[in-house]
Amino acid sequence: MIEPVQLPAPWRDVRLTVVVPTYNEAGNLPVLVERLLALPLPGLSILVADDNSPDGTGEVADKLAIEHPERIQVVHRAGKEGLGRAYVDGIGRALEAGAEYVAQMDADLSHPPEALPGMLGSLLSTQAGVVIGSRYVPGGQLDEAWPLYRRVLSGWANFYVHTLLQVRIRDLTAGFKIWRADALRDIGLHRVQSNGYSFQVEMHYLATKLGHTILEVPIRFEERLDGESKMTTATKVESALMPFKLRGRHRNITRSDAGPAGADEPSDSTPDESSRSGADKSSHSTPDESSR
């Protein structure tokens, strides 16, 4: 477990909402919440979007919200509609509640919560619209326990999507990231139609098309210890077809089509170089002219 970066006063207090979609994660959610609330980020809150999990994850989330009423909110959704729909719902509610920055992460503990302060510092020290916790930039790692077929599938998916969409991101399918609220409003959640894991690709594609800089910083991706992967055959089929749909759906989108930016973006005063939280190790991805 890494040691969280200590951010300077104006940065550690920003309103950061971590959106966590859940489906059958009753065993992992309390551990994740404990680690998130232990971070040196007093402005951090958690929004759990549960898809009516049959294992009682929703009830577990409610108990955690009772214990931490000022920092945890639970959204109970009618049923399992896919990762993308849960994220659109959760992110939309976070923006409505006044979040300045919105983080996405899985509930299965594959994404290290302790990396969030460093990712936030990297975002605030640049003009990027989003920072990705990346497995595939220098310094990024995959848990040795991750099965070979998952490694091959992930590597092929990134190559396949990059070839079709020409988006210069090494970890195109990454699900661990922090967005500026203005970038999310600019993208417009109403445009996002993906249901499954291809949601991540669609968000990256839209951000690129609209001219937002995407920053990748290295993380170690862990294999889940409790529960089962939600990757199904239907999800794989959707992910394979989605790049073709995205090229047609968003072909003509330009910066002038973007939604209104939020007016509550805080000023990011730059602290001294010692607190830039590893941004020098990052990979900066800028919009690819061929994808405009």
Side-chain angles (χ1 to χ4, degrees), residues 131-147:
V131 60
I132 295 173
S134 176
R135 298 162 289 185
Y136 301 129
V137 293
Q141 295 179 315
L142 286 170
D143 191 328
E144 293 79 6
W146 222 41

Side-chain angles (χ1 to χ4, degrees), residues 243-267:
F244 296 98
K245 294 181 179 180
L246 292 181
R247 288 199 304 186
R249 182 184 301 160
H250 303 305
R251 178 181 293 114
N252 298 319
I253 190 173
T254 64
R255 186 79 193 200
S256 61
D257 299 324
D264 58 352
E265 181 73 10
S267 60

Side-chain angles (χ1 to χ4, degrees), residues 189-224:
L189 295 175
H190 64 281
R191 292 195 179 98
V192 182
Q193 299 181 33
S194 304
N195 290 327
Y197 288 86
S198 54
F199 166 82
Q200 313 293 4
V201 174
E202 185 166 16
M203 290 292 284
H204 295 153
Y205 186 57
L206 282 167
T208 299
K209 292 281 283 183
L210 291 170
H212 292 283
T213 298
I214 298 174
L215 174 68
E216 294 185 84
V217 298
I219 64 159
R220 176 180 169 82
F221 185 89
E222 302 288 348
E223 176 65 301
R224 68 159 58 239

Side-chain angles (χ1 to χ4, degrees), residues 42-61:
L44 180 148
S45 62
I46 304 167
L47 190 152
V48 178
D50 184 66
D51 275 1
N52 196 23
S53 299
D55 75 340
T57 301
E59 290 78 4
V60 171

